[in-house]
Amino acid sequence: MGVRLDYRVCMKDNTFVNHPPEVAVPADNRPLVAPIYQSVKFSFGDSKETLRNLRGERAGFFYSRNSNPTLRQLELTLARMQGRDECLLVGSGVATIAATLLSLCKQGDHILAFIESYGPTRYIVQHLLAKYGVAHTLLSIQDLAGIERVLGETPTRLVIFESPTNPVTKIADVEHLTSHARRANCLTVMDNTFAGFHNHGRYDIDVFVHSLTKFASGHGDVMGGAIIANSKLIAAMRKDVVSMGPTLDPHAAFLIQRGVRTYFLRYERQCANAQAVSRFLDDHPRIKRVFYPGLESHPQHALAKSQMQDFGSVVSFELDGGYEVGNRFAEALQFFSMTSSVGSTESLVMPPQLLGGQEYTAAQREASLISGGTVRLSVGIEDAADLIADLTQALDKAFV
């Protein structure tokens, strides 16, 4: 037999650049930070092994819309943090809500949702799913009797809720919700973004959804979302979610994994700052009321304390004077940037005009507690004294 030539020696440059040399890292020479697998496709070089992988009979990767090593590391990290064993990653927090509801619901189903829920959640329930024959009931998260009545009288596929709520930090009675949902044989879906991965995992919640854009990333430079549940439920949802195509990009997953390294340090500092800011605001004569569950004056402080390890970094409050004063206050701030989102290292503010809720009926707006003077702060990791000094000067300017 003749000697077999390495085809790479003979190939032309325009072929070579598309088939570059492989660099293998020895098994005992691992990188401290996992690399970004910025590849859509993976190859076994063997059709039999490829088919075994596609049937779930062996480990490995084939197409990044289905799975990718960089995403898989983040999935396992987040599932562990939330106290579950499986996770699906998607491109945004809203995508987690849409993908979860579309996967779990069908025509003729009924959903229980809440007035205080995130605006896009309400839109998906009230408009998108309604187009496909999914009915809903909208209550206040504090209407415990109403929750019992609806779950007792109406066959319900799932309950979707959040706690603390956005923007006025109402606290859901998680034990009440989950116990009544279980008796009614319906699923529970919790948007746990504001509370974080280290909270609520001990409760009987079927699906957690998170916007990774917020506390997981922590730096306001990448978007993503996580659907977290037990492996059986994720397996049932996986094909639907993957077929919708909202898969997170590997580079985004890498940045979020990097952000998670400082998650607990950031969250601890943000909560401490939020506590200090809320106490300052609670004592200010021009503030009508402050919404922060860490304050003893919060009507659900005891419930929050019993359910959560901490109270979050979102502080909302109601100013005397309505929209005009709220706008002057927000524009006068120096360390709080006027923009959406929460959970970044820098502090943020949303004045009344930007908090939404225009689609509420009069009764729903009253139940939401959002008024013309409501302002939402997302407190960052800056020095608390600097933040309080900034709030002081902005309040002085707001009431000139």
Side-chain angles (χ1 to χ4, degrees), residues 88 91 284 330:
L88 281 170
H284 197 282

Side-chain angles (χ1 to χ4, degrees), residues 160-217:
I160 183 166
F161 69 103
E162 61 191 64
S163 183
T165 64
N166 181 15
V168 297
T169 67
K170 290 185 182 182
I171 302 298
D173 189 327
V174 180
E175 183 64 41
H176 180 273
L177 267 173
T178 54
S179 62
H180 283 279
R182 194 61 64 208
R183 284 179 210 153
N185 197 33
C186 73
L187 298 170
T188 48
V189 178
M190 182 179 192
D191 184 339
N192 206 31
T193 299
F194 272 29
F197 297 91
H198 60 295
N199 280 308
H200 299 131
R202 64 189 175 94
Y203 288 100
D204 185 19
I205 294 163
D206 294 296
V207 183
F208 289 97
V209 295
H210 288 265
S211 171
L212 304 180
T213 316
K214 314 302 194 287
F215 294 99
S217 164

Side-chain angles (χ1 to χ4, degrees), residues 18-302:
N18 282 284
H19 299 272
E22 293 185 12
V23 178
V25 179
D28 61 349
N29 180 217
R30 68 180 181 89
L32 191 60
V33 176
I36 306 172
Y37 285 86
Q38 195 70 51
S39 178
V40 174
K41 300 170 286 290
F42 296 82
S43 175
F44 292 96
D46 181 316
S47 60
K48 180 181 177 181
E49 293 305 305
T50 301
L51 287 170
R52 287 187 63 223
N53 172 256
L54 293 175
R55 289 194 296 260
E57 297 169 1
R58 63 151 293 170
F61 302 90
F62 181 66
Y63 195 66
S64 280
R65 178 160 49 80
N66 300 316
S67 191
N68 173 287
T70 308
L71 272 68
R72 191 64 186 143
Q73 183 183 53
L74 182 58
E75 287 172 346
L76 294 172
T77 301
L78 299 178
R80 161 71 182 270
M81 290 171 69
Q82 188 60 86
R84 298 297 186 269
D85 55 9
E86 261 301 353
C87 175
L88 281 170
L89 297 175
V90 293
S92 72
V94 172
T96 68
I97 298 162
T100 298
L101 294 180
L102 286 168
S103 176
L104 295 178
C105 296
K106 65 182 185 305
Q107 184 178 20
D109 282 344
H110 173 263
I111 291 175
L112 175 58
F114 297 96
I115 293 165
E116 298 88 350
S117 294
Y118 184 43
T121 302
R122 286 183 281 110
Y123 178 86
I124 291 166
V125 170
Q126 293 178 283
H127 300 282
L128 179 60
L129 290 178
K131 291 197 297 184
Y132 301 105
V134 178
H136 68 273
T137 299
L138 204 63
L139 299 177
S140 170
I141 197 71
Q142 295 177 300
D143 186 358
L144 302 187
I147 291 167
E148 293 181 29
R149 184 184 67 255
V150 170
L151 293 179
E153 297 175 354
T154 307
T156 300
R157 172 58 174 161
L158 61 83
V159 180
I160 183 166
F161 69 103
E162 61 191 64
S163 183
T165 64
N166 181 15
V168 297
T169 67
K170 290 185 182 182
I171 302 298
D173 189 327
V174 180
E175 183 64 41
H176 180 273
L177 267 173
T178 54
S179 62
H180 283 279
R182 194 61 64 208
R183 284 179 210 153
N185 197 33
C186 73
L187 298 170
T188 48
V189 178
M190 182 179 192
D191 184 339
N192 206 31
T193 299
F194 272 29
F197 297 91
H198 60 295
N199 280 308
H200 299 131
R202 64 189 175 94
Y203 288 100
D204 185 19
I205 294 163
D206 294 296
V207 183
F208 289 97
V209 295
H210 288 265
S211 171
L212 304 180
T213 316
K214 314 302 194 287
F215 294 99
S217 164
H219 295 79
D221 55 6
V222 61
M223 298 183 72
I227 303 167
I228 302 173
N230 64 44
S231 55
K232 183 178 179 181
L233 189 51
I234 290 292
M237 297 172 64
R238 183 177 295 277
K239 188 168 184 179
D240 286 346
V241 174
V242 169
S243 295
M244 294 177 206
T247 309
L248 188 67
D249 176 76
H251 191 260
F254 173 84
L255 290 174
I256 294 167
Q257 183 77 54
R258 185 175 68 176
V260 167
R261 287 173 176 260
T262 59
Y263 168 86
F264 289 100
L265 293 171
R266 288 183 284 103
Y267 206 96
E268 182 180 353
R269 177 62 175 266
Q270 287 169 303
C271 288
N273 281 355
Q275 189 75 43
V277 164
S278 68
R279 291 196 184 284
F280 161 75
L281 293 169
D282 202 34
D283 291 335
H284 197 282
R286 303 308 296 266
I287 306 295
K288 295 172 71 173
R289 53 181 168 176
V290 180
F291 305 103
Y292 184 66
L295 291 175
E296 291 80 358
S297 59
H298 191 287
Q300 296 170 295
H301 171 72

